Amino acid sequence: MKLAILLPGYIESPDYRHLVIIDQKLSNLGYQVVRVDACNLWSTCDTQNYTTTNYINQVKQIIESYLPEKPTEIILIGHSLGCLVALYVAKLYKQVSKVICLSPPVALDKSDHKWVDGFRVSKKDLPDNPIDFRQFSVPFSFVNDRKQYSIVDTLNSFTKPFLIIIGENDSLLPDVEELVKNKNIKNFIKIKNMGHDFRQSEELCSQVTSEIEKFITY
């Protein structure tokens, strides 16, 4: 059995189009696919337990639930915040064979100023209706928890194959290019006309999925 775990970004739904399209492709390639609802945020709308640590622990529990089946391969695919979770968890389990990072945030503190009076209020479009939204009010405890994690530090002594995919229009690109240079990262792909959130474009979702397929079947 081959297992693929898809990890959405900050307060993102596991049912967003880019994850669904990746899910469909991997399922066709014979993977058992799990799209993670981080901290059960979308199923419960409860933000009190929404932290990076709880997200990591949730993914650890998923992996451990499949270990008795002796998976021949485990790949982790994260978008944005999900990249940090993927890289961190991959170092904990020898069974994780490859990691794919979509639009990774190198510096995690750039959004800290968006928390006002102890909360950050954000709207996210619904997976089945992009003109309708759900509002989340995330407490500052998320920020305090996140401070203990670092993508740069996590990549120190990281030896497993991993791929970074990012759009040329993503504001995070300069940080990512510097990371790629400093860490001598071999598998790095920039996609034209793509920003940080590319899920509304069927073409871009398919392009990203095609690059993932090349990497995991190489």
Side-chain angles (χ1 to χ4, degrees):
M1 186 267 289
K2 301 187 296 183
L3 176 65
I5 302 177
L6 310 187
L7 310 172
Y10 176 74
I11 65 172
E12 289 188 348
S13 168
D15 297 324
Y16 277 155
R17 181 182 303 175
H18 60 310
L19 298 180
V20 171
I21 290 176
I22 294 170
D23 182 341
Q24 292 169 343
K25 170 57 69 174
L26 295 179
S27 295
N28 290 338
L29 292 173
Y31 286 84
Q32 173 74 41
V33 182
V34 178
R35 282 183 274 125
V36 178
D37 180 10
C39 305
N40 300 309
L41 182 66
W42 279 76
S43 60
T44 67
C45 294
D46 180 5
T47 62
Q48 293 304 309
N49 294 316
Y50 188 74
T51 65
T52 304
T53 295
N54 287 341
Y55 193 174
I56 287 170
N57 288 337
Q58 182 182 9
V59 177
K60 289 167 59 179
Q61 290 171 2
I62 292 170
I63 290 176
E64 288 170 11
S65 73
Y66 279 96
L67 290 183
E69 300 183 42
K70 294 182 170 49
T72 57
E73 183 181 354
I74 300 177
I75 62 172
L76 304 179
I77 302 175
H79 175 253
S80 197
L81 176 64
C83 299
L84 169 66
V85 176
L87 290 168
Y88 189 89
V89 171
K91 292 187 75 170
L92 301 177
Y93 293 92
K94 63 180 181 181
Q95 294 89 346
V96 174
S97 47
K98 290 182 178 179
V99 175
I100 296 99
C101 293
L102 311 177
S103 311
V106 178
L108 299 174
D109 58 356
K110 288 189 174 182
S111 63
D112 288 4
H113 67 281
K114 296 181 179 180
W115 270 261
V116 180
D117 296 328
F119 290 89
R120 177 182 176 183
V121 179
S122 304
K123 293 196 304 181
K124 283 292 185 180
D125 53 295
L126 301 183
D128 55 352
N129 185 1
I131 62 172
D132 200 3
F133 297 87
R134 181 177 295 179
Q135 182 170 290
F136 297 98
S137 183
V138 178
F140 194 74
S141 54
F142 176 88
V143 176
N144 286 331
D145 174 82
R146 184 176 60 180
K147 289 178 180 178
Q148 65 188 296
Y149 300 102
S150 163
I151 282 185
V152 175
D153 291 345
T154 303
L155 283 174
N156 290 337
S157 71
F158 193 90
T159 58
K160 297 181 179 182
F162 77 102
L163 166 68
I164 292 178
I165 302 175
I166 191 168
E168 290 189 350
N169 298 340
D170 194 325
S171 63
L172 302 180
L173 180 59
D175 287 345
V176 171
E177 288 184 318
E178 184 177 355
L179 176 73
V180 167
K181 179 181 178 181
N182 291 341
K183 297 291 185 182
N184 194 27
I185 295 170
K186 303 296 186 184
N187 301 305
F188 174 54
I189 295 171
K190 290 187 290 186
I191 294 182
K192 291 182 179 180
N193 303 315
M194 188 173 94
H196 189 74
D197 296 312
F198 55 89
R199 60 181 175 270
Q200 304 300 349
S201 168
E202 195 85 22
E203 179 181 353
L204 290 174
C205 289
S206 297
Q207 198 171 343
V208 168
T209 302
S210 176
E211 296 295 347
I212 292 173
E213 180 182 10
K214 292 176 190 175
F215 180 68
I216 64 175
T217 56
Y218 176 71

